[in-house]
Each structure stands twice: as C-alpha cells, then as structure tokens.
Amino acid sequence: MKLAWFTPFSRSSAIARCSLGIVAELAKIAEVDLCHFEAGQSRESSVPVKRFRTASDVDEQTLSKYDVVVYNFGNHLPFHREIFLLSRRHPGICILHDFVMHHFFAEYYFSELHNPEAYALLIERVYGDDGRAAAEQSLPGGKRMWESDAVARFPLFEEVIRGALGVVTHSEFFRKRVEDVFPGPVRRIPLAYDAEPTAPVLSRRLLNVEENELLIVTIGHVNPNKQVIAVIDALGCLGPIAQRVKYVVLGPCSPEHKRLLEAAIGRMHLEPVVQLLGQVSDETLRSYLSHADVCVNLRYPAFEGASASVIEEMLFGKPVIVTDTGFFAELPDECVLKVRPDRGSELTAALERAITDPGFRERLGKAAEQFARREFRADHYAKEIVDFAWEARTAKPLLGLADQVAIEFNRMGIASDMAIVDNLAQAMRSTFCSMPGSGPSWR
C-alpha cells in the first residue's frame, strides 16, 4: 500500500511530532510520503518528504499514485488551512486531533474570507436554528462564541469529515460522536507520542527551583479551559501547605487571560508560589517536566480529541491531576488522579494529597508510565492505519452510492426522519456489509 501523509511539519506543532514517529513505523510496512505545506523551519524525517506551496499545487496526477491520502487535522488555521482545502477536492482518511474545530473555521471565515455571513450559514447548515442563533451572536459587534464554553456545543468537526473515506479518532468519546454523524468507517486508534526523559536537562538551580520545593507544572497553551485559575484558587485554600510549592505554568497565553491569572495570584497572595513563564524553549520545557513532582492537566470543556501533553507527562513517569471528562476520563483510574469539572473542593483535596503523600506520587507516576508505554505506541498506530486504509478503500463505492441516494432524496423532498430512509439504509447495509468478503466490515 502507498500512502500520502499530509501533516503540519513545523517544529512548534505537536501533530508534526506525532506524525514523525508514525510515518517512521509506517515505512516499515508500507510505502509512505510525508507531505506538508510549511515554508519555514521544519523537522527532519527518515521517510521521503514532499513539500507543496498550496493545495492548488497538488494535482490529481500526483494524488492518483497513492492508494489512500491521509489528512491530519487540528484547530490551528495556519497549520491546517491547505490540508483542509486539499481534502475538499480529493477525499481521504481524516485523522481528527481536536474535537472542537470551531476556532479553525471562525478564523477562516472571519480573517481569511472576511465573510461572517458564510460562517453563520455554515453553523446553520450543520446545527440548524440553534446554531444560527448562536452564530449570529458572534457576528461583528457580538460576543464571539469560540471564546466561550458554548463552543463545545458547536464543535464543527462535522464539516472537516464531510465526504471523507474514513475517520480516525484518538478517544472513545470522540469515536461515538463521529459515528452519530458520519456514515462511513470510523476507528479509534490511541494517539502515538514519545518523550525524551533521558535527554539532557537544566538543573533545578538553573530553573530557579529550590531543592526543598515541590514542583508542580502545567504545560501547553494557557487558555481558559485549562483551568489554571482554579488551580491557583485551590492552592490558595491550602494555606501553609502551598508555601512548600513552586507552581510553574509554561506556554503561550493571551495578554487578557494573563491579566486574569495575575489577578488570581494576587488575590490568593501566591506571588512567591506561582510563576507564569509563557513560551519557553524545548530544553526548558523538558527540564521542568523532568524535575516536576506533580503535573496538573485540566480541561473544561474538553476541546481535544486526545492530549499529547498528558501522554508526555505520563511517559515521564509523573503523577498527573486531570479533569474527569473527554479523553482524560478514559485513562485508567490507577494511572491519573481525576477531579470532576467545577468541583473546587475535589481539586483542592487532590492537590493536598499529591503534595503531602510522596508514596502516592511514586505509585501513580509509575503506573502512568507503564500504561503510556503500552498504549501510545507508533508501531501499533502504523499497523492500525494500514488496516483501516484497506477498510476505507473497500467502503468507497458504498459511500458514493449513499451520497447519490442523499442527493436524490433531497431532490424529492424526503426528510431524514422518514421511514424510507431507515428502510433503505438497512437494505444497503445487509446487501453490502453482510456478505463475507464482499463489503466493508464497519457498522
């Protein structure tokens, strides 16, 4: 099998890092070209790399040489714009790294196309009248939906997978959501990620962390859904216990949200305890992870299909406090410490236990590392992708037939809730999916 693997390739992209490990394993069992659009500094790869300037530069003759084209999707427009545009023209397998793709489309329609009305029409087409009403509030002069928790109600991943041959997710909750709206094959494959726990690191002294301080870290883009303010408030409730702690937050943060974080730090009198370091080098990030005693990785609402950061923390053998939602809820209870959303008392208790019980930290970190090394493997991912690619190719004729039937039903005025739709779906399923060796195995 020959695959084209379209991915971001920037050094600042976690998806690029995932892709490198996966394509290296894919190359052992299939032919694969790593394809990307970035013009700046990119990563090095052991497999053939093809760089295109734009989606329009990728012609059908080039794509016809591949059995399947694979597209990696996240919600950052600069990394995924050309990948999305190409996928509209040439269907393939969509790998969804983010559950909420709304930010991608909001920036695309407002900043790229300068067409707010087209954005509202998209939301209406996907989510009906409720979506239209919410979208109108985000039109110029209104409160932008994608900057609030409401965005999780309108994730817009549906638009990414429209017309795809198949969809890959990295969690069960996301797989089920996709299956509700996508008629083709869907597979959950655990995200493949690696860590570098043996690479050189800076000392605690160089990081300005005292040997007797317990180091807690949060990494990644510091958005409101990371719940850093909740962590600050919980530390403030611990009184003298918090004075034993150094809580370091690493990752880019908007000026507006940083002001809110600084206000929370001042309100809780935690200036000596909490540090907001912003964007740091890979070496500094790796050093803080290496020395961390506890990691806090909260999400509410959960926008991701999985979390590379929590996987990396587990691979480092760290005890991690997570929110009991989305992908994080699927991690084994013996590997992470879960707290329910909006339960400040649970977060305070979790932090107190993690700070005061070194034996618990050691047991949790060891179990996390063992699980992560078994579960999040590039070789397993590569084998699943090749198997799924054959399945998606087999399903292609049936998906084409389903599209044609949908067009005819729409022309005839047949609504999706009419009995004829279910009856025909059952007939197609029994005809194409029940005969051994004659059709796809999905559904």
Side-chain angles (χ1 to χ4, degrees):
M1 172 166 281
K2 188 170 185 178
L3 303 171
W5 185 274
F6 280 88
T7 179
F9 207 39
S10 166
R11 290 186 178 275
S12 60
S13 168
I15 294 175
R17 181 171 163 181
C18 293
S19 286
L20 278 177
I22 293 167
V23 296
E25 294 296 330
L26 271 173
K28 298 176 183 178
I29 57 177
E31 289 186 72
V32 59
D33 289 333
L34 191 153
C35 305
H36 73 99
F37 295 99
E38 279 92 349
Q41 188 179 28
S42 59
R43 298 172 181 264
E44 296 180 359
S45 173
S46 59
V47 306
V49 175
K50 293 186 176 182
R51 190 236 160 199
F52 303 93
R53 190 175 62 88
T54 67
S56 60
D57 293 331
V58 189
D59 57 45
E60 286 303 314
Q61 184 178 1
T62 297
L63 295 176
S64 66
K65 298 176 182 177
Y66 299 99
D67 294 300
V68 175
V69 178
V70 180
Y71 301 107
N72 285 269
F73 285 108
N75 66 10
H76 186 51
L77 181 67
F79 287 165
H80 300 277
R81 178 201 303 105
E82 301 304 321
I83 296 175
F84 172 72
L85 294 176
L86 181 60
S87 73
R88 297 298 83 195
R89 197 180 82 226
H90 188 95
I93 291 175
C94 293
I95 299 179
L96 298 178
H97 291 265
D98 286 312
F99 167 58
V100 174
M101 289 291 296
H102 199 121
H103 307 84
F104 173 92
F105 288 105
E107 187 174 358
Y108 180 61
Y109 281 98
F110 281 85
S111 301
E112 294 278 325
L113 301 184
H114 305 288
N115 194 341
E117 178 58 23
Y119 161 82
L121 288 172
L122 168 66
I123 307 296
E124 182 179 17
R125 174 165 59 79
V126 179
Y127 300 110
D129 292 342
D130 287 346
R132 176 74 192 200
E136 287 179 346
Q137 296 177 13
S138 301
L139 296 180
K143 182 179 179 181
R144 295 185 289 190
M145 180 183 5
W146 55 92
E147 293 180 352
S148 71
D149 291 351
V151 72
R153 293 174 50 212
F154 309 101
L156 279 180
F157 70 82
E158 298 93 340
E159 181 67 7
V160 176
I161 63 178
R162 183 164 56 90
L165 299 184
V167 180
V168 172
T169 74
H170 299 134
S171 56
E172 280 297 310
F173 96 90
F174 200 3
R175 179 187 64 79
K176 292 174 183 176
R177 287 293 298 267
V178 171
E179 286 186 339
D180 286 341
V181 297
F182 181 71
V186 183
R187 184 172 299 194
R188 177 253 180 183
I189 305 176
L191 179 65
Y193 207 67
D194 64 350
E196 301 175 302
T198 60
V201 297
L202 303 173
S203 67
R204 288 174 71 99
R205 181 180 62 81
L206 290 176
L207 298 178
N208 197 30
V209 179
E210 300 294 335
E211 291 297 329
N212 63 343
E213 289 181 316
L214 187 134
L215 178 60
I216 301 177
V217 301
T218 291
I219 65 173
H221 282 78
V222 186
N223 301 318
N225 79 312
K226 296 286 182 70
Q227 301 289 297
V228 173
I229 290 178
V231 180
I232 294 169
D233 289 344
L235 286 172
C237 292
L238 290 178
I241 293 176
Q243 302 309 312
R244 300 160 48 184
V245 167
K246 178 78 73 176
Y247 177 43
V248 181
V249 182
L250 305 109
C253 180
S254 71
E256 296 80 7
H257 192 54
K258 185 177 181 181
R259 285 194 289 270
L260 293 176
L261 296 176
E262 290 170 340
I265 293 168
R267 184 177 67 251
M268 290 296 175
H269 308 291
L270 291 175
E271 289 87 350
V273 173
V274 183
Q275 288 187 324
L276 308 175
L277 295 191
Q279 184 84 48
V280 298
S281 68
D282 289 346
E283 180 186 39
T284 300
L285 178 63
R286 185 172 63 247
S287 299
Y288 273 103
L289 275 180
S290 177
H291 292 296
D293 297 291
V294 178
C295 295
V296 179
N297 205 318
L298 305 181
R299 299 287 191 284
Y300 190 69
F303 296 157
E304 300 162 307
S307 172
S309 60
V310 79
I311 293 170
E312 185 170 24
E313 290 161 353
M314 295 171 75
L315 288 169
F316 267 87
K318 303 302 176 179
V320 190
I321 299 174
V322 302
T323 314
D324 193 10
T325 186
F327 162 78
F328 303 90
E330 297 172 16
L331 297 170
D333 292 345
E334 65 271 17
C335 296
V336 292
L337 184 54
K338 299 175 184 177
V339 296
R340 286 176 291 178
D342 290 335
R343 298 294 180 97
S345 59
E346 288 189 12
L347 179 56
T348 301
L351 283 167
E352 181 175 10
R353 185 179 185 189
I355 293 168
T356 60
D357 190 340
F360 173 71
R361 294 198 302 269
E362 183 178 2
R363 292 191 301 273
L364 198 64
K366 185 175 295 184
E369 181 178 6
Q370 291 173 349
F371 172 77
R373 294 198 178 281
R374 291 193 310 268
E375 182 78 355
F376 306 112
R377 293 177 51 170
D379 56 342
H380 290 175
Y381 199 105
K383 292 174 182 175
E384 289 272 3
I385 280 290
V386 170
D387 181 65
F388 186 66
W390 286 117
E391 184 177 349
R393 275 174 56 87
T394 305
K396 186 175 181 179
L398 181 54
L399 289 174
L401 175 59
D403 287 341
Q404 290 301 312
V405 169
I407 292 170
E408 288 301 311
F409 275 6
N410 185 62
R411 184 182 63 81
M412 297 164 62
I414 296 175
S416 60
D417 58 353
M418 292 184 179
I420 187 175
V421 177
D422 286 337
N423 292 339
L424 185 57
Q426 290 293 339
M428 291 172 64
R429 182 176 292 113
S430 71
T431 300
F432 293 101
C433 302
S434 300
M435 296 172 61
S438 65
S441 59
W442 45 275
R443 301 296 189 109

